[in-house]
Amino acid sequence: MTTFDADHRFMGFALREAARAARAGEVPVGAVITFGERPLVAAGNARETANDPTGHAEILTLRRAAALLQRWRLWGCTLYVTLEPCPMCAGAMVNARIDRLVYGAADPKAGAIESLYRLADDERLNHRIEVMSGVRKHECSAQLKQFFRSRRSGERGPVEVDAPWQEHGGPLLL
Amino acid sequence: MTTFDADHRFMGFALREAARAARAGEVPVGAVITFGERPLVAAGNARETANDPTGHAEILTLRRAAALLQRWRLWGCTLYVTLEPCPMCAGAMVNARIDRLVYGAADPKAGAIESLYRLADDERLNHRIEVMSGVRKHECSAQLKQFFRSRRSGERGPVEVDAPWQEHGGPLLL
């Protein structure tokens, strides 16, 4: 599997987690962490359901990956996320020393990789992260747009957004 | 109690949490969150003991305060921390919408309030935080220096650092 194929595939898993989050009434953002070429953990945004201000998909996957690997330094890991990380999440990735970040849609309002800040390649910090952006970005941003459109039209609670469900034969068991 | 007195007192609680962290072999940083004038939660850095890359004192207190208050928007809350927050923690405070941040020592290597970034008063983000810095900064930085001096001299494991133990009559029960 080429890096291109792997990035496309794992972003598909992240898109599914985002869709699952939307059905729980959360802003649809999903993340996956791989170790080597193996998917390790996946999570969707859970800020509302968990009443946790740090409950972004990226933070949840970082904590779970570290718990699984029994170390807080996540060398060897790549984090896939559907939306450009905010300062909290980008800072957490630097703290966790992840090797690589792959994200889909840019976030002009809070993105801390290229939009408002450049936390992944700040030479003053003690770690740099290799970044690939724009992977499946149209699907990633379409999910978010669809969610906010439903919200504006007065729907509360679960929202169904498009997700690549059929692509890999049903939900991923991680 | 004046704001000055309250800041001094609650920073004392944070200093104790930092000392407790050092005894567990962690870099001594401690945090407290108050709601109104009441202390709500306290925590020390637990990155090593919990194998959690997000286990900074600030993140732990934010998550616990939100769990107690049953809401992720922590309006009405002040966070006290012995060291200037890193990008992850400052970003988490913005996400949590805390009212006020009080910290002790500046962190020229990773501080995201005044040293490397200014996340608390970035008008592009969706929340601003009132900041008071330098509260008991000599005690806060002395703890850190003492810890790293012990580490360099070869000690591993628990480190005893100075803490204002006697000041308020024994450990704080939160």
Side-chain angles (χ1 to χ4, degrees):
Chain A
M1 192 158 61
T2 65
T3 304
F4 179 85
D5 290 342
D7 287 354
H8 192 275
R9 175 164 177 253
F10 293 130
M11 190 59 82
F13 296 171
L15 279 160
R16 283 195 222 175
E17 292 297 324
R20 200 176 294 183
R23 287 199 305 282
E26 301 278 355
V27 174
V29 179
V32 169
I33 290 180
T34 61
F35 179 56
E37 293 207 342
R38 289 201 347 253
L40 200 63
V41 290
N45 180 28
R47 190 154 68 160
E48 305 287 345
T49 30
N51 270 330
D52 180 357
T54 74
H56 283 182
E58 300 96 308
I59 298 288
L60 299 175
T61 52
L62 288 168
R63 292 179 53 219
R64 288 174 195 170
L68 269 180
L69 297 174
Q70 284 291 296
R71 53 179 165 89
W72 61 262
R73 289 179 188 84
L74 298 181
W75 48 262
C77 290
T78 296
L79 192 149
Y80 294 83
V81 59
T82 55
L83 183 68
E84 183 184 1
C86 74
M88 170 180 77
C89 293
M93 290 171 209
V94 172
N95 290 355
R97 322 274 205 269
I98 63 158
D99 286 358
R100 193 163 170 263
L101 162 67
V102 180
Y103 68 88
D107 183 359
K109 286 189 183 163
I113 304 299
E114 56 174 354
S115 296
L116 301 188
Y117 294 99
R118 300 191 63 89
L119 288 174
D121 60 3
D122 186 333
E123 303 232 321
R124 300 169 304 175
L125 298 175
N126 62 0
H127 180 72
R128 252 77 55 204
I129 300 167
E130 185 194 321
V131 175
M132 165 69 77
S133 64
V135 172
R136 302 181 73 162
K137 66 177 173 182
H138 297 298
E139 289 162 89
C140 293
S141 65
Q143 268 190 341
L144 285 158
K145 279 178 194 158
Q146 209 179 333
F147 178 84
F148 287 112
R149 207 180 304 124
S150 301
R151 278 297 164 94
R152 273 195 301 274
S153 70
E155 282 175 43
R156 283 279 141 187
V159 175
E160 285 288 339
V161 299
D162 291 331
W165 285 107
Q166 310 311 326
E167 205 176 333
H168 303 286
L172 173 70
L173 298 172
L174 288 181
Chain B
M1 191 159 61
T2 65
T3 304
F4 178 84
D5 291 341
D7 287 354
H8 191 275
R9 175 166 176 250
F10 293 131
M11 190 59 83
F13 297 171
L15 280 159
R16 282 195 223 176
E17 292 297 323
R20 200 177 293 184
R23 288 198 306 280
E26 302 277 354
V27 173
V29 179
V32 169
I33 290 181
T34 60
F35 179 56
E37 295 206 340
R38 287 199 351 250
L40 200 64
V41 290
N45 180 28
R47 190 154 68 160
E48 305 287 345
T49 29
N51 271 330
D52 180 357
T54 74
H56 283 181
E58 300 96 309
I59 299 287
L60 298 175
T61 51
L62 287 169
R63 293 179 54 218
R64 289 174 195 170
L68 268 180
L69 297 174
Q70 283 291 294
R71 54 178 163 88
W72 61 261
R73 289 179 189 82
L74 298 180
W75 49 263
C77 289
T78 296
L79 192 149
Y80 293 83
V81 59
T82 56
L83 183 67
E84 183 185 0
C86 74
M88 169 180 77
C89 293
M93 289 171 210
V94 172
N95 290 355
R97 322 275 205 268
I98 63 158
D99 284 359
R100 193 163 170 264
L101 162 68
V102 179
Y103 68 87
D107 183 359
K109 287 190 183 163
I113 303 299
E114 55 174 354
S115 297
L116 302 189
Y117 294 100
R118 299 190 64 87
L119 288 174
D121 60 4
D122 185 334
E123 303 232 322
R124 302 169 302 175
L125 298 175
N126 62 0
H127 180 71
R128 253 76 57 202
I129 300 165
E130 186 193 321
V131 175
M132 165 68 79
S133 64
V135 173
R136 301 181 74 161
K137 66 178 175 183
H138 298 297
E139 290 162 89
C140 293
S141 65
Q143 267 190 342
L144 285 158
K145 280 178 193 156
Q146 208 180 333
F147 177 84
F148 287 112
R149 206 180 302 125
S150 302
R151 277 298 164 95
R152 273 195 300 275
S153 70
E155 281 174 45
R156 283 280 141 186
V159 174
E160 284 288 339
V161 299
D162 291 332
W165 286 107
Q166 310 311 325
E167 206 175 334
H168 303 285
L172 174 69
L173 298 171
L174 287 181

PDB file of all heavy atoms in Angstrom, chain B residues 12-41:
ATOM      1  N   GLY B  12      -1.019  29.131  46.312  1.00  0.00           N
ATOM      2  CA  GLY B  12      -0.435  28.254  47.329  1.00  0.00           C
ATOM      3  C   GLY B  12      -0.937  26.824  47.177  1.00  0.00           C
ATOM      4  O   GLY B  12      -0.177  25.863  47.289  1.00  0.00           O
ATOM      5  N   PHE B  13      -2.228  26.670  46.884  1.00  0.00           N
ATOM      6  CA  PHE B  13      -2.779  25.332  46.654  1.00  0.00           C
ATOM      7  C   PHE B  13      -2.115  24.698  45.425  1.00  0.00           C
ATOM      8  O   PHE B  13      -1.790  23.514  45.416  1.00  0.00           O
ATOM      9  CB  PHE B  13      -4.293  25.396  46.420  1.00  0.00           C
ATOM     10  CG  PHE B  13      -5.103  25.902  47.588  1.00  0.00           C
ATOM     11  CD1 PHE B  13      -6.458  26.173  47.420  1.00  0.00           C
ATOM     12  CD2 PHE B  13      -4.537  26.089  48.847  1.00  0.00           C
ATOM     13  CE1 PHE B  13      -7.231  26.629  48.486  1.00  0.00           C
ATOM     14  CE2 PHE B  13      -5.299  26.544  49.920  1.00  0.00           C
ATOM     15  CZ  PHE B  13      -6.654  26.812  49.721  1.00  0.00           C
ATOM     16  N   ALA B  14      -1.936  25.501  44.382  1.00  0.00           N
ATOM     17  CA  ALA B  14      -1.315  24.985  43.154  1.00  0.00           C
ATOM     18  C   ALA B  14       0.139  24.568  43.423  1.00  0.00           C
ATOM     19  O   ALA B  14       0.607  23.539  42.903  1.00  0.00           O
ATOM     20  CB  ALA B  14      -1.389  26.034  42.045  1.00  0.00           C
ATOM     21  N   LEU B  15       0.838  25.352  44.251  1.00  0.00           N
ATOM     22  CA  LEU B  15       2.219  25.010  44.606  1.00  0.00           C
ATOM     23  C   LEU B  15       2.296  23.667  45.337  1.00  0.00           C
ATOM     24  O   LEU B  15       3.223  22.881  45.140  1.00  0.00           O
ATOM     25  CB  LEU B  15       2.828  26.120  45.488  1.00  0.00           C
ATOM     26  CG  LEU B  15       3.335  27.358  44.746  1.00  0.00           C
ATOM     27  CD1 LEU B  15       3.431  28.558  45.685  1.00  0.00           C
ATOM     28  CD2 LEU B  15       4.705  27.081  44.113  1.00  0.00           C
ATOM     29  N   ARG B  16       1.307  23.408  46.175  1.00  0.00           N
ATOM     30  CA  ARG B  16       1.281  22.117  46.872  1.00  0.00           C
ATOM     31  C   ARG B  16       1.072  20.962  45.914  1.00  0.00           C
ATOM     32  O   ARG B  16       1.650  19.887  46.075  1.00  0.00           O
ATOM     33  CB  ARG B  16       0.082  22.078  47.827  1.00  0.00           C
ATOM     34  CG  ARG B  16       0.311  22.829  49.056  1.00  0.00           C
ATOM     35  CD  ARG B  16      -0.756  22.382  50.009  1.00  0.00           C
ATOM     36  NE  ARG B  16      -1.290  23.535  50.688  1.00  0.00           N
ATOM     37  CZ  ARG B  16      -2.304  23.471  51.529  1.00  0.00           C
ATOM     38  NH1 ARG B  16      -2.915  22.326  51.726  1.00  0.00           N
ATOM     39  NH2 ARG B  16      -2.708  24.539  52.149  1.00  0.00           N
ATOM     40  N   GLU B  17       0.182  21.165  44.941  1.00  0.00           N
ATOM     41  CA  GLU B  17      -0.046  20.107  43.946  1.00  0.00           C
ATOM     42  C   GLU B  17       1.221  19.851  43.151  1.00  0.00           C
ATOM     43  O   GLU B  17       1.530  18.714  42.796  1.00  0.00           O
ATOM     44  CB  GLU B  17      -1.184  20.498  42.999  1.00  0.00           C
ATOM     45  CG  GLU B  17      -2.544  20.547  43.655  1.00  0.00           C
ATOM     46  CD  GLU B  17      -2.987  19.193  44.188  1.00  0.00           C
ATOM     47  OE1 GLU B  17      -2.705  18.164  43.559  1.00  0.00           O
ATOM     48  OE2 GLU B  17      -3.619  19.178  45.264  1.00  0.00           O
ATOM     49  N   ALA B  18       1.964  20.918  42.869  1.00  0.00           N
ATOM     50  CA  ALA B  18       3.227  20.787  42.135  1.00  0.00           C
ATOM     51  C   ALA B  18       4.226  19.972  42.963  1.00  0.00           C
ATOM     52  O   ALA B  18       4.915  19.084  42.435  1.00  0.00           O
ATOM     53  CB  ALA B  18       3.789  22.160  41.812  1.00  0.00           C
ATOM     54  N   ALA B  19       4.286  20.252  44.267  1.00  0.00           N
ATOM     55  CA  ALA B  19       5.223  19.524  45.138  1.00  0.00           C
ATOM     56  C   ALA B  19       4.853  18.045  45.206  1.00  0.00           C
ATOM     57  O   ALA B  19       5.710  17.161  45.195  1.00  0.00           O
ATOM     58  CB  ALA B  19       5.209  20.143  46.534  1.00  0.00           C
ATOM     59  N   ARG B  20       3.557  17.783  45.233  1.00  0.00           N
ATOM     60  CA  ARG B  20       3.071  16.403  45.250  1.00  0.00           C
ATOM     61  C   ARG B  20       3.477  15.689  43.955  1.00  0.00           C
ATOM     62  O   ARG B  20       3.883  14.528  43.980  1.00  0.00           O
ATOM     63  CB  ARG B  20       1.536  16.451  45.388  1.00  0.00           C
ATOM     64  CG  ARG B  20       0.906  15.183  45.891  1.00  0.00           C
ATOM     65  CD  ARG B  20      -0.596  15.359  46.074  1.00  0.00           C
ATOM     66  NE  ARG B  20      -0.923  16.294  47.156  1.00  0.00           N
ATOM     67  CZ  ARG B  20      -2.165  16.563  47.575  1.00  0.00           C
ATOM     68  NH1 ARG B  20      -3.212  15.979  46.974  1.00  0.00           N
ATOM     69  NH2 ARG B  20      -2.379  17.404  48.552  1.00  0.00           N
ATOM     70  N   ALA B  21       3.375  16.404  42.830  1.00  0.00           N
ATOM     71  CA  ALA B  21       3.785  15.837  41.535  1.00  0.00           C
ATOM     72  C   ALA B  21       5.261  15.478  41.557  1.00  0.00           C
ATOM     73  O   ALA B  21       5.665  14.396  41.104  1.00  0.00           O
ATOM     74  CB  ALA B  21       3.486  16.825  40.406  1.00  0.00           C
ATOM     75  N   ALA B  22       6.098  16.364  42.121  1.00  0.00           N
ATOM     76  CA  ALA B  22       7.544  16.100  42.174  1.00  0.00           C
ATOM     77  C   ALA B  22       7.833  14.834  42.963  1.00  0.00           C
ATOM     78  O   ALA B  22       8.690  14.033  42.575  1.00  0.00           O
ATOM     79  CB  ALA B  22       8.269  17.294  42.797  1.00  0.00           C
ATOM     80  N   ARG B  23       7.096  14.639  44.058  1.00  0.00           N
ATOM     81  CA  ARG B  23       7.323  13.435  44.856  1.00  0.00           C
ATOM     82  C   ARG B  23       6.946  12.169  44.097  1.00  0.00           C
ATOM     83  O   ARG B  23       7.409  11.081  44.413  1.00  0.00           O
ATOM     84  CB  ARG B  23       6.542  13.514  46.183  1.00  0.00           C
ATOM     85  CG  ARG B  23       7.155  14.516  47.155  1.00  0.00           C
ATOM     86  CD  ARG B  23       6.673  14.276  48.582  1.00  0.00           C
ATOM     87  NE  ARG B  23       5.224  14.258  48.662  1.00  0.00           N
ATOM     88  CZ  ARG B  23       4.458  15.350  48.695  1.00  0.00           C
ATOM     89  NH1 ARG B  23       4.997  16.543  48.665  1.00  0.00           N
ATOM     90  NH2 ARG B  23       3.151  15.253  48.767  1.00  0.00           N
ATOM     91  N   ALA B  24       6.097  12.323  43.061  1.00  0.00           N
ATOM     92  CA  ALA B  24       5.747  11.173  42.212  1.00  0.00           C
ATOM     93  C   ALA B  24       6.668  11.079  40.999  1.00  0.00           C
ATOM     94  O   ALA B  24       6.436  10.270  40.102  1.00  0.00           O
ATOM     95  CB  ALA B  24       4.286  11.299  41.767  1.00  0.00           C
ATOM     96  N   GLY B  25       7.704  11.929  40.967  1.00  0.00           N
ATOM     97  CA  GLY B  25       8.655  11.867  39.856  1.00  0.00           C
ATOM     98  C   GLY B  25       8.251  12.675  38.640  1.00  0.00           C
ATOM     99  O   GLY B  25       8.824  12.542  37.563  1.00  0.00           O
ATOM    100  N   GLU B  26       7.239  13.525  38.790  1.00  0.00           N
ATOM    101  CA  GLU B  26       6.759  14.352  37.689  1.00  0.00           C
ATOM    102  C   GLU B  26       7.383  15.749  37.748  1.00  0.00           C
ATOM    103  O   GLU B  26       7.692  16.231  38.839  1.00  0.00           O
ATOM    104  CB  GLU B  26       5.233  14.529  37.770  1.00  0.00           C
ATOM    105  CG  GLU B  26       4.426  13.255  37.754  1.00  0.00           C
ATOM    106  CD  GLU B  26       4.204  12.733  36.341  1.00  0.00           C
ATOM    107  OE1 GLU B  26       4.584  13.416  35.369  1.00  0.00           O
ATOM    108  OE2 GLU B  26       3.654  11.624  36.219  1.00  0.00           O
ATOM    109  N   VAL B  27       7.499  16.405  36.616  1.00  0.00           N
ATOM    110  CA  VAL B  27       7.902  17.810  36.595  1.00  0.00           C
ATOM    111  C   VAL B  27       6.886  18.588  37.441  1.00  0.00           C
ATOM    112  O   VAL B  27       5.673  18.452  37.236  1.00  0.00           O
ATOM    113  CB  VAL B  27       7.918  18.359  35.145  1.00  0.00           C
ATOM    114  CG1 VAL B  27       8.179  19.858  35.136  1.00  0.00           C
ATOM    115  CG2 VAL B  27       8.968  17.623  34.316  1.00  0.00           C
ATOM    116  N   PRO B  28       7.365  19.357  38.432  1.00  0.00           N
ATOM    117  CA  PRO B  28       6.432  19.979  39.378  1.00  0.00           C
ATOM    118  C   PRO B  28       5.676  21.184  38.829  1.00  0.00           C
ATOM    119  O   PRO B  28       6.162  22.313  38.868  1.00  0.00           O
ATOM    120  CB  PRO B  28       7.330  20.386  40.556  1.00  0.00           C
ATOM    121  CG  PRO B  28       8.698  20.504  39.982  1.00  0.00           C
ATOM    122  CD  PRO B  28       8.771  19.583  38.804  1.00  0.00           C
ATOM    123  N   VAL B  29       4.501  20.908  38.316  1.00  0.00           N
ATOM    124  CA  VAL B  29       3.561  21.951  37.921  1.00  0.00           C
ATOM    125  C   VAL B  29       2.225  21.577  38.554  1.00  0.00           C
ATOM    126  O   VAL B  29       1.831  20.402  38.515  1.00  0.00           O
ATOM    127  CB  VAL B  29       3.413  22.047  36.384  1.00  0.00           C
ATOM    128  CG1 VAL B  29       2.396  23.131  36.009  1.00  0.00           C
ATOM    129  CG2 VAL B  29       4.756  22.344  35.727  1.00  0.00           C
ATOM    130  N   GLY B  30       1.564  22.542  39.149  1.00  0.00           N
ATOM    131  CA  GLY B  30       0.285  22.270  39.802  1.00  0.00           C
ATOM    132  C   GLY B  30      -0.759  23.286  39.388  1.00  0.00           C
ATOM    133  O   GLY B  30      -0.420  24.414  39.014  1.00  0.00           O
ATOM    134  N   ALA B  31      -2.019  22.884  39.431  1.00  0.00           N
ATOM    135  CA  ALA B  31      -3.109  23.777  39.025  1.00  0.00           C
ATOM    136  C   ALA B  31      -4.328  23.618  39.925  1.00  0.00           C
ATOM    137  O   ALA B  31      -4.539  22.553  40.515  1.00  0.00           O
ATOM    138  CB  ALA B  31      -3.495  23.512  37.574  1.00  0.00           C
ATOM    139  N   VAL B  32      -5.092  24.679  40.009  1.00  0.00           N
ATOM    140  CA  VAL B  32      -6.335  24.712  40.790  1.00  0.00           C
ATOM    141  C   VAL B  32      -7.362  25.463  39.963  1.00  0.00           C
ATOM    142  O   VAL B  32      -7.020  26.432  39.280  1.00  0.00           O
ATOM    143  CB  VAL B  32      -6.109  25.466  42.131  1.00  0.00           C
ATOM    144  CG1 VAL B  32      -7.423  25.749  42.837  1.00  0.00           C
ATOM    145  CG2 VAL B  32      -5.175  24.671  43.038  1.00  0.00           C
ATOM    146  N   ILE B  33      -8.610  25.021  39.990  1.00  0.00           N
ATOM    147  CA  ILE B  33      -9.683  25.810  39.375  1.00  0.00           C
ATOM    148  C   ILE B  33     -10.656  26.220  40.465  1.00  0.00           C
ATOM    149  O   ILE B  33     -11.063  25.393  41.289  1.00  0.00           O
ATOM    150  CB  ILE B  33     -10.407  25.035  38.246  1.00  0.00           C
ATOM    151  CG1 ILE B  33      -9.471  24.874  37.045  1.00  0.00           C
ATOM    152  CG2 ILE B  33     -11.692  25.760  37.813  1.00  0.00           C
ATOM    153  CD1 ILE B  33     -10.083  24.142  35.865  1.00  0.00           C
ATOM    154  N   THR B  34     -10.987  27.505  40.466  1.00  0.00           N
ATOM    155  CA  THR B  34     -11.988  27.998  41.411  1.00  0.00           C
ATOM    156  C   THR B  34     -13.244  28.389  40.635  1.00  0.00           C
ATOM    157  O   THR B  34     -13.189  28.749  39.463  1.00  0.00           O
ATOM    158  CB  THR B  34     -11.486  29.245  42.162  1.00  0.00           C
ATOM    159  OG1 THR B  34     -11.201  30.279  41.206  1.00  0.00           O
ATOM    160  CG2 THR B  34     -10.223  28.942  42.951  1.00  0.00           C
ATOM    161  N   PHE B  35     -14.365  28.290  41.312  1.00  0.00           N
ATOM    162  CA  PHE B  35     -15.637  28.735  40.732  1.00  0.00           C
ATOM    163  C   PHE B  35     -16.172  29.782  41.697  1.00  0.00           C
ATOM    164  O   PHE B  35     -16.427  29.476  42.864  1.00  0.00           O
ATOM    165  CB  PHE B  35     -16.597  27.555  40.607  1.00  0.00           C
ATOM    166  CG  PHE B  35     -17.938  27.932  40.039  1.00  0.00           C
ATOM    167  CD1 PHE B  35     -18.030  28.568  38.812  1.00  0.00           C
ATOM    168  CD2 PHE B  35     -19.107  27.635  40.735  1.00  0.00           C
ATOM    169  CE1 PHE B  35     -19.274  28.921  38.281  1.00  0.00           C
ATOM    170  CE2 PHE B  35     -20.349  27.972  40.211  1.00  0.00           C
ATOM    171  CZ  PHE B  35     -20.428  28.618  38.975  1.00  0.00           C
ATOM    172  N   GLY B  36     -16.300  30.999  41.217  1.00  0.00           N
ATOM    173  CA  GLY B  36     -16.579  32.082  42.134  1.00  0.00           C
ATOM    174  C   GLY B  36     -15.379  32.204  43.060  1.00  0.00           C
ATOM    175  O   GLY B  36     -14.249  32.257  42.594  1.00  0.00           O
ATOM    176  N   GLU B  37     -15.585  32.163  44.363  1.00  0.00           N
ATOM    177  CA  GLU B  37     -14.442  32.226  45.282  1.00  0.00           C
ATOM    178  C   GLU B  37     -14.140  30.887  45.920  1.00  0.00           C
ATOM    179  O   GLU B  37     -13.369  30.797  46.865  1.00  0.00           O
ATOM    180  CB  GLU B  37     -14.695  33.287  46.357  1.00  0.00           C
ATOM    181  CG  GLU B  37     -14.759  34.680  45.789  1.00  0.00           C
ATOM    182  CD  GLU B  37     -14.372  35.743  46.814  1.00  0.00           C
ATOM    183  OE1 GLU B  37     -14.432  35.452  48.022  1.00  0.00           O
ATOM    184  OE2 GLU B  37     -14.018  36.868  46.393  1.00  0.00           O
ATOM    185  N   ARG B  38     -14.779  29.826  45.394  1.00  0.00           N
ATOM    186  CA  ARG B  38     -14.582  28.489  45.975  1.00  0.00           C
ATOM    187  C   ARG B  38     -13.617  27.658  45.143  1.00  0.00           C
ATOM    188  O   ARG B  38     -13.781  27.568  43.934  1.00  0.00           O
ATOM    189  CB  ARG B  38     -15.913  27.748  46.026  1.00  0.00           C
ATOM    190  CG  ARG B  38     -16.841  28.271  47.073  1.00  0.00           C
ATOM    191  CD  ARG B  38     -17.942  27.257  47.409  1.00  0.00           C
ATOM    192  NE  ARG B  38     -17.992  26.116  46.513  1.00  0.00           N
ATOM    193  CZ  ARG B  38     -18.962  25.890  45.630  1.00  0.00           C
ATOM    194  NH1 ARG B  38     -19.945  26.741  45.493  1.00  0.00           N
ATOM    195  NH2 ARG B  38     -18.949  24.800  44.891  1.00  0.00           N
ATOM    196  N   PRO B  39     -12.609  27.015  45.795  1.00  0.00           N
ATOM    197  CA  PRO B  39     -11.782  26.073  45.044  1.00  0.00           C
ATOM    198  C   PRO B  39     -12.632  24.859  44.668  1.00  0.00           C
ATOM    199  O   PRO B  39     -13.440  24.386  45.477  1.00  0.00           O
ATOM    200  CB  PRO B  39     -10.674  25.698  46.027  1.00  0.00           C
ATOM    201  CG  PRO B  39     -11.207  26.010  47.371  1.00  0.00           C
ATOM    202  CD  PRO B  39     -12.216  27.102  47.213  1.00  0.00           C
ATOM    203  N   LEU B  40     -12.458  24.405  43.432  1.00  0.00           N
ATOM    204  CA  LEU B  40     -13.326  23.342  42.900  1.00  0.00           C
ATOM    205  C   LEU B  40     -12.539  22.056  42.721  1.00  0.00           C
ATOM    206  O   LEU B  40     -12.951  20.992  43.175  1.00  0.00           O
ATOM    207  CB  LEU B  40     -13.865  23.827  41.552  1.00  0.00           C
ATOM    208  CG  LEU B  40     -15.114  23.201  40.975  1.00  0.00           C
ATOM    209  CD1 LEU B  40     -16.312  23.458  41.855  1.00  0.00           C
ATOM    210  CD2 LEU B  40     -15.359  23.785  39.572  1.00  0.00           C
ATOM    211  N   VAL B  41     -11.394  22.138  42.036  1.00  0.00           N
ATOM    212  CA  VAL B  41     -10.561  20.960  41.761  1.00  0.00           C
ATOM    213  C   VAL B  41      -9.098  21.384  41.764  1.00  0.00           C
ATOM    214  O   VAL B  41      -8.778  22.549  41.531  1.00  0.00           O
ATOM    215  CB  VAL B  41     -10.878  20.336  40.382  1.00  0.00           C
ATOM    216  CG1 VAL B  41     -12.237  19.671  40.373  1.00  0.00           C
ATOM    217  CG2 VAL B  41     -10.787  21.373  39.274  1.00  0.00           C
TER     218      VAL B  41
END
